[in-house]
Amino acid sequence: MSTATSTSIRTDEPITVRPRVPLAARLADPLPVGLAGFGLTTFMLSLIEAGIVDKSAMPVVLGSALAYGGLLQLLAGMWAFVRNNTFAAVALGSYGAFWISFWALNAFYMSRVPASEQNSALGLFLISWAIFSFYMWIVSFRVSLGVMLVFLTLWPAYLLIGIGTAGGSDTVVHIGGIFGIATAVLAWYVSFADTLHATIGRRLLPLVPFGGREVDTIPDEPRAYRPAPSAR
């Protein structure tokens, strides 16, 4: 006579439920790629504004303005919203839109402005961005020294190029272009420092965060969760 053996399942042991990792914690910091796009496009345009490169190179700048400085930086700004980084979202999203609008102005709309008014119109465009950049510079005092220096050179670049363009002063435009080159180099530095930090896990290039915190505050790993209640 055979005896059937049954296997019982214990129900008194707790069942551990693995917590879902929030989307924000699964996204890489978008600030380095956004600053890389901003820095490269700003560098090329500033070389022209400073009189170092001839204006015939402008089509190359426009291509970068649309794709790298524009679309990619705009996407980086949207990713920053998901990571709950308001400063990066506003900065990257806005300057991504700036480069797209700069491309559109040169490609489609500036020709609709009377020739005698084009310099004044472009000056208005740039000076308006100088105002925005100025108050972002004020806010950047709560981010880091590296980011603050980017904005410290950026708003004078917009302002000087805008005033020089509207007033027909090549000298003022050239000085603004030099500020723009400095902005690009600083933006590249912050991008490089953050990319290096994220890649090797150590901060080798200082950004000197204000308030004792990094530029991006979302952790790479989720915070500790309460254990799931035991199933009975």
PDB file of all heavy atoms in Angstrom, residues 144-166:
ATOM      1  N   SER A 144      25.631  76.345  -7.040  1.00  0.00           N
ATOM      2  CA  SER A 144      27.060  76.095  -6.840  1.00  0.00           C
ATOM      3  C   SER A 144      27.853  77.232  -7.451  1.00  0.00           C
ATOM      4  O   SER A 144      27.350  77.980  -8.299  1.00  0.00           O
ATOM      5  CB  SER A 144      27.486  74.758  -7.469  1.00  0.00           C
ATOM      6  OG  SER A 144      27.520  74.860  -8.879  1.00  0.00           O
ATOM      7  N   LEU A 145      29.118  77.323  -7.047  1.00  0.00           N
ATOM      8  CA  LEU A 145      29.987  78.367  -7.586  1.00  0.00           C
ATOM      9  C   LEU A 145      30.190  78.183  -9.086  1.00  0.00           C
ATOM     10  O   LEU A 145      30.193  79.153  -9.850  1.00  0.00           O
ATOM     11  CB  LEU A 145      31.336  78.345  -6.865  1.00  0.00           C
ATOM     12  CG  LEU A 145      32.378  79.357  -7.342  1.00  0.00           C
ATOM     13  CD1 LEU A 145      31.886  80.781  -7.155  1.00  0.00           C
ATOM     14  CD2 LEU A 145      33.709  79.136  -6.619  1.00  0.00           C
ATOM     15  N   GLY A 146      30.353  76.918  -9.512  1.00  0.00           N
ATOM     16  CA  GLY A 146      30.551  76.654 -10.922  1.00  0.00           C
ATOM     17  C   GLY A 146      29.387  77.137 -11.771  1.00  0.00           C
ATOM     18  O   GLY A 146      29.577  77.814 -12.788  1.00  0.00           O
ATOM     19  N   VAL A 147      28.169  76.802 -11.365  1.00  0.00           N
ATOM     20  CA  VAL A 147      26.981  77.213 -12.112  1.00  0.00           C
ATOM     21  C   VAL A 147      26.811  78.734 -12.027  1.00  0.00           C
ATOM     22  O   VAL A 147      26.432  79.387 -13.009  1.00  0.00           O
ATOM     23  CB  VAL A 147      25.737  76.487 -11.582  1.00  0.00           C
ATOM     24  CG1 VAL A 147      24.467  77.027 -12.230  1.00  0.00           C
ATOM     25  CG2 VAL A 147      25.855  74.987 -11.831  1.00  0.00           C
ATOM     26  N   MET A 148      27.082  79.306 -10.871  1.00  0.00           N
ATOM     27  CA  MET A 148      26.938  80.757 -10.719  1.00  0.00           C
ATOM     28  C   MET A 148      27.856  81.497 -11.673  1.00  0.00           C
ATOM     29  O   MET A 148      27.476  82.512 -12.269  1.00  0.00           O
ATOM     30  CB  MET A 148      27.240  81.149  -9.267  1.00  0.00           C
ATOM     31  CG  MET A 148      26.977  82.625  -8.947  1.00  0.00           C
ATOM     32  SD  MET A 148      28.383  83.707  -9.343  1.00  0.00           S
ATOM     33  CE  MET A 148      29.525  83.265  -8.030  1.00  0.00           C
ATOM     34  N   LEU A 149      29.087  80.995 -11.870  1.00  0.00           N
ATOM     35  CA  LEU A 149      30.024  81.650 -12.775  1.00  0.00           C
ATOM     36  C   LEU A 149      29.555  81.560 -14.227  1.00  0.00           C
ATOM     37  O   LEU A 149      29.818  82.470 -15.025  1.00  0.00           O
ATOM     38  CB  LEU A 149      31.416  81.030 -12.625  1.00  0.00           C
ATOM     39  CG  LEU A 149      32.138  81.326 -11.298  1.00  0.00           C
ATOM     40  CD1 LEU A 149      33.463  80.582 -11.235  1.00  0.00           C
ATOM     41  CD2 LEU A 149      32.352  82.827 -11.102  1.00  0.00           C
ATOM     42  N   VAL A 150      28.872  80.477 -14.578  1.00  0.00           N
ATOM     43  CA  VAL A 150      28.302  80.380 -15.926  1.00  0.00           C
ATOM     44  C   VAL A 150      27.344  81.543 -16.173  1.00  0.00           C
ATOM     45  O   VAL A 150      27.421  82.230 -17.199  1.00  0.00           O
ATOM     46  CB  VAL A 150      27.575  79.031 -16.119  1.00  0.00           C
ATOM     47  CG1 VAL A 150      26.826  79.018 -17.460  1.00  0.00           C
ATOM     48  CG2 VAL A 150      28.559  77.870 -16.059  1.00  0.00           C
ATOM     49  N   PHE A 151      26.459  81.789 -15.215  1.00  0.00           N
ATOM     50  CA  PHE A 151      25.476  82.856 -15.384  1.00  0.00           C
ATOM     51  C   PHE A 151      26.085  84.242 -15.197  1.00  0.00           C
ATOM     52  O   PHE A 151      25.608  85.216 -15.781  1.00  0.00           O
ATOM     53  CB  PHE A 151      24.306  82.657 -14.420  1.00  0.00           C
ATOM     54  CG  PHE A 151      23.379  81.564 -14.838  1.00  0.00           C
ATOM     55  CD1 PHE A 151      23.568  80.270 -14.391  1.00  0.00           C
ATOM     56  CD2 PHE A 151      22.327  81.816 -15.714  1.00  0.00           C
ATOM     57  CE1 PHE A 151      22.720  79.254 -14.791  1.00  0.00           C
ATOM     58  CE2 PHE A 151      21.489  80.810 -16.118  1.00  0.00           C
ATOM     59  CZ  PHE A 151      21.677  79.519 -15.665  1.00  0.00           C
ATOM     60  N   LEU A 152      27.154  84.320 -14.415  1.00  0.00           N
ATOM     61  CA  LEU A 152      27.820  85.605 -14.217  1.00  0.00           C
ATOM     62  C   LEU A 152      28.410  86.126 -15.521  1.00  0.00           C
ATOM     63  O   LEU A 152      28.471  87.341 -15.742  1.00  0.00           O
ATOM     64  CB  LEU A 152      28.919  85.459 -13.164  1.00  0.00           C
ATOM     65  CG  LEU A 152      29.771  86.703 -12.879  1.00  0.00           C
ATOM     66  CD1 LEU A 152      28.921  87.852 -12.362  1.00  0.00           C
ATOM     67  CD2 LEU A 152      30.896  86.372 -11.903  1.00  0.00           C
ATOM     68  N   THR A 153      28.847  85.219 -16.386  1.00  0.00           N
ATOM     69  CA  THR A 153      29.384  85.630 -17.686  1.00  0.00           C
ATOM     70  C   THR A 153      28.310  85.625 -18.772  1.00  0.00           C
ATOM     71  O   THR A 153      28.471  86.310 -19.801  1.00  0.00           O
ATOM     72  CB  THR A 153      30.529  84.694 -18.112  1.00  0.00           C
ATOM     73  OG1 THR A 153      30.067  83.326 -18.069  1.00  0.00           O
ATOM     74  CG2 THR A 153      31.717  84.844 -17.178  1.00  0.00           C
ATOM     75  N   LEU A 154      27.221  84.890 -18.557  1.00  0.00           N
ATOM     76  CA  LEU A 154      26.208  84.760 -19.604  1.00  0.00           C
ATOM     77  C   LEU A 154      25.368  86.022 -19.777  1.00  0.00           C
ATOM     78  O   LEU A 154      25.176  86.500 -20.907  1.00  0.00           O
ATOM     79  CB  LEU A 154      25.296  83.567 -19.294  1.00  0.00           C
ATOM     80  CG  LEU A 154      24.146  83.337 -20.274  1.00  0.00           C
ATOM     81  CD1 LEU A 154      24.663  83.133 -21.687  1.00  0.00           C
ATOM     82  CD2 LEU A 154      23.299  82.153 -19.825  1.00  0.00           C
ATOM     83  N   TRP A 155      24.868  86.570 -18.661  1.00  0.00           N
ATOM     84  CA  TRP A 155      23.970  87.722 -18.841  1.00  0.00           C
ATOM     85  C   TRP A 155      24.706  88.947 -19.407  1.00  0.00           C
ATOM     86  O   TRP A 155      24.127  89.671 -20.230  1.00  0.00           O
ATOM     87  CB  TRP A 155      23.204  88.037 -17.546  1.00  0.00           C
ATOM     88  CG  TRP A 155      23.956  88.609 -16.398  1.00  0.00           C
ATOM     89  CD1 TRP A 155      24.432  87.942 -15.320  1.00  0.00           C
ATOM     90  CD2 TRP A 155      24.280  89.994 -16.190  1.00  0.00           C
ATOM     91  NE1 TRP A 155      25.054  88.811 -14.451  1.00  0.00           N
ATOM     92  CE2 TRP A 155      24.961  90.075 -14.953  1.00  0.00           C
ATOM     93  CE3 TRP A 155      24.051  91.163 -16.911  1.00  0.00           C
ATOM     94  CZ2 TRP A 155      25.433  91.274 -14.439  1.00  0.00           C
ATOM     95  CZ3 TRP A 155      24.519  92.372 -16.407  1.00  0.00           C
ATOM     96  CH2 TRP A 155      25.198  92.417 -15.184  1.00  0.00           C
ATOM     97  N   PRO A 156      25.975  89.207 -19.054  1.00  0.00           N
ATOM     98  CA  PRO A 156      26.657  90.305 -19.743  1.00  0.00           C
ATOM     99  C   PRO A 156      26.870  90.017 -21.228  1.00  0.00           C
ATOM    100  O   PRO A 156      26.875  90.952 -22.042  1.00  0.00           O
ATOM    101  CB  PRO A 156      27.993  90.423 -19.000  1.00  0.00           C
ATOM    102  CG  PRO A 156      27.758  89.808 -17.675  1.00  0.00           C
ATOM    103  CD  PRO A 156      26.804  88.700 -17.939  1.00  0.00           C
ATOM    104  N   ALA A 157      27.063  88.735 -21.585  1.00  0.00           N
ATOM    105  CA  ALA A 157      27.238  88.404 -23.001  1.00  0.00           C
ATOM    106  C   ALA A 157      25.992  88.760 -23.794  1.00  0.00           C
ATOM    107  O   ALA A 157      26.059  89.418 -24.845  1.00  0.00           O
ATOM    108  CB  ALA A 157      27.561  86.913 -23.150  1.00  0.00           C
ATOM    109  N   TYR A 158      24.829  88.336 -23.290  1.00  0.00           N
ATOM    110  CA  TYR A 158      23.573  88.691 -23.951  1.00  0.00           C
ATOM    111  C   TYR A 158      23.402  90.207 -24.028  1.00  0.00           C
ATOM    112  O   TYR A 158      23.028  90.758 -25.075  1.00  0.00           O
ATOM    113  CB  TYR A 158      22.392  88.108 -23.172  1.00  0.00           C
ATOM    114  CG  TYR A 158      22.052  86.682 -23.504  1.00  0.00           C
ATOM    115  CD1 TYR A 158      21.966  85.720 -22.503  1.00  0.00           C
ATOM    116  CD2 TYR A 158      21.764  86.288 -24.811  1.00  0.00           C
ATOM    117  CE1 TYR A 158      21.621  84.408 -22.793  1.00  0.00           C
ATOM    118  CE2 TYR A 158      21.416  84.980 -25.111  1.00  0.00           C
ATOM    119  CZ  TYR A 158      21.354  84.044 -24.103  1.00  0.00           C
ATOM    120  OH  TYR A 158      20.998  82.747 -24.393  1.00  0.00           O
ATOM    121  N   LEU A 159      23.657  90.866 -22.903  1.00  0.00           N
ATOM    122  CA  LEU A 159      23.418  92.303 -22.823  1.00  0.00           C
ATOM    123  C   LEU A 159      24.319  93.073 -23.786  1.00  0.00           C
ATOM    124  O   LEU A 159      23.863  93.949 -24.542  1.00  0.00           O
ATOM    125  CB  LEU A 159      23.637  92.787 -21.390  1.00  0.00           C
ATOM    126  CG  LEU A 159      23.326  94.259 -21.117  1.00  0.00           C
ATOM    127  CD1 LEU A 159      21.853  94.555 -21.346  1.00  0.00           C
ATOM    128  CD2 LEU A 159      23.733  94.628 -19.680  1.00  0.00           C
ATOM    129  N   LEU A 160      25.603  92.751 -23.789  1.00  0.00           N
ATOM    130  CA  LEU A 160      26.553  93.478 -24.619  1.00  0.00           C
ATOM    131  C   LEU A 160      26.315  93.208 -26.105  1.00  0.00           C
ATOM    132  O   LEU A 160      26.356  94.140 -26.925  1.00  0.00           O
ATOM    133  CB  LEU A 160      27.979  93.103 -24.224  1.00  0.00           C
ATOM    134  CG  LEU A 160      28.436  93.611 -22.847  1.00  0.00           C
ATOM    135  CD1 LEU A 160      29.767  92.976 -22.463  1.00  0.00           C
ATOM    136  CD2 LEU A 160      28.538  95.126 -22.842  1.00  0.00           C
ATOM    137  N   ILE A 161      26.080  91.962 -26.449  1.00  0.00           N
ATOM    138  CA  ILE A 161      25.815  91.650 -27.860  1.00  0.00           C
ATOM    139  C   ILE A 161      24.515  92.308 -28.308  1.00  0.00           C
ATOM    140  O   ILE A 161      24.413  92.822 -29.422  1.00  0.00           O
ATOM    141  CB  ILE A 161      25.776  90.127 -28.080  1.00  0.00           C
ATOM    142  CG1 ILE A 161      27.150  89.522 -27.786  1.00  0.00           C
ATOM    143  CG2 ILE A 161      25.362  89.798 -29.516  1.00  0.00           C
ATOM    144  CD1 ILE A 161      27.183  88.002 -27.831  1.00  0.00           C
ATOM    145  N   GLY A 162      23.507  92.298 -27.408  1.00  0.00           N
ATOM    146  CA  GLY A 162      22.237  92.933 -27.752  1.00  0.00           C
ATOM    147  C   GLY A 162      22.373  94.431 -27.941  1.00  0.00           C
ATOM    148  O   GLY A 162      21.879  94.999 -28.923  1.00  0.00           O
ATOM    149  N   ILE A 163      23.063  95.104 -27.011  1.00  0.00           N
ATOM    150  CA  ILE A 163      23.259  96.560 -27.120  1.00  0.00           C
ATOM    151  C   ILE A 163      24.117  96.895 -28.328  1.00  0.00           C
ATOM    152  O   ILE A 163      23.827  97.828 -29.090  1.00  0.00           O
ATOM    153  CB  ILE A 163      23.892  97.100 -25.821  1.00  0.00           C
ATOM    154  CG1 ILE A 163      22.902  96.986 -24.653  1.00  0.00           C
ATOM    155  CG2 ILE A 163      24.340  98.540 -26.007  1.00  0.00           C
ATOM    156  CD1 ILE A 163      23.490  97.379 -23.316  1.00  0.00           C
ATOM    157  N   GLY A 164      25.189  96.129 -28.520  1.00  0.00           N
ATOM    158  CA  GLY A 164      26.059  96.391 -29.653  1.00  0.00           C
ATOM    159  C   GLY A 164      25.368  96.172 -30.986  1.00  0.00           C
ATOM    160  O   GLY A 164      25.582  96.932 -31.933  1.00  0.00           O
ATOM    161  N   THR A 165      24.534  95.138 -31.060  1.00  0.00           N
ATOM    162  CA  THR A 165      23.808  94.871 -32.302  1.00  0.00           C
ATOM    163  C   THR A 165      22.797  95.976 -32.583  1.00  0.00           C
ATOM    164  O   THR A 165      22.697  96.485 -33.713  1.00  0.00           O
ATOM    165  CB  THR A 165      23.085  93.514 -32.219  1.00  0.00           C
ATOM    166  OG1 THR A 165      24.051  92.474 -32.007  1.00  0.00           O
ATOM    167  CG2 THR A 165      22.320  93.221 -33.500  1.00  0.00           C
ATOM    168  N   ALA A 166      22.029  96.360 -31.558  1.00  0.00           N
ATOM    169  CA  ALA A 166      21.019  97.407 -31.736  1.00  0.00           C
ATOM    170  C   ALA A 166      21.660  98.754 -32.063  1.00  0.00           C
ATOM    171  O   ALA A 166      21.119  99.542 -32.852  1.00  0.00           O
ATOM    172  CB  ALA A 166      20.147  97.524 -30.487  1.00  0.00           C
TER     173      ALA A 166
END
